[in-house]
Amino acid sequence: MPETGYLLAALLTTLVVTFALRAAPFLVVERLRESRIVGWLGARMPVGIMVILVVYTLRDTSFAAAPHGLPEAIALAVTVGLHVWRRNALLSIVGGTLLYAGLLALLA
């Protein structure tokens, strides 16, 4: 068993690093707001992340075997439709997920 001093030093190091990592964004926030790169990323990253999530989600979809990706395609279309209609991410995600789960239960 490690000695008490060693454990306290490890704990203190962990606390300092954790605090520093959580405080760092607040210390540089003003410089980041003025950055053109951060503005550009902020405008484009949400769409990029959604594309990555869709590709990751659909990567194992089998179009050769029944139901031939039909639940995925319908749920994706409804999710996009809900988001375009209401511009509410929570409604889109929950609605698409519930529909997908329901379609899988019906078709499986």
Side-chain angles (χ1 to χ4, degrees):
M1 174 107 167
E3 293 190 25
T4 305
Y6 177 82
L7 292 174
L8 289 175
L11 181 61
L12 181 64
T13 302
T14 303
L15 291 171
V16 168
V17 168
T18 300
F19 180 79
L21 288 174
R22 291 178 186 251
F26 295 102
L27 298 175
V28 297
V29 71
E30 285 303 318
R31 291 174 57 195
L32 290 177
R33 283 188 184 149
E34 298 168 2
S35 170
R36 287 184 16 206
I37 294 172
V38 171
W40 183 84
L41 288 172
R44 285 154 183 85
M45 284 305 292
V47 173
I49 290 172
M50 289 306 298
V51 168
I52 291 169
L53 287 173
V54 167
V55 169
Y56 179 79
T57 301
L58 298 177
R59 77 185 190 289
D60 292 331
T61 301
S62 173
F63 296 101
H68 306 291
L70 194 58
E72 291 86 353
I74 293 171
L76 179 61
V78 168
T79 302
V80 170
L82 283 173
H83 192 71
V84 168
W85 175 50
R86 300 299 296 187
R87 294 278 182 208
N88 184 330
L90 182 62
L91 173 66
S92 305
I93 293 168
V94 171
T97 302
L98 289 175
L99 177 64
Y100 177 66
L103 288 171
L104 280 183
L106 287 174
L107 297 174

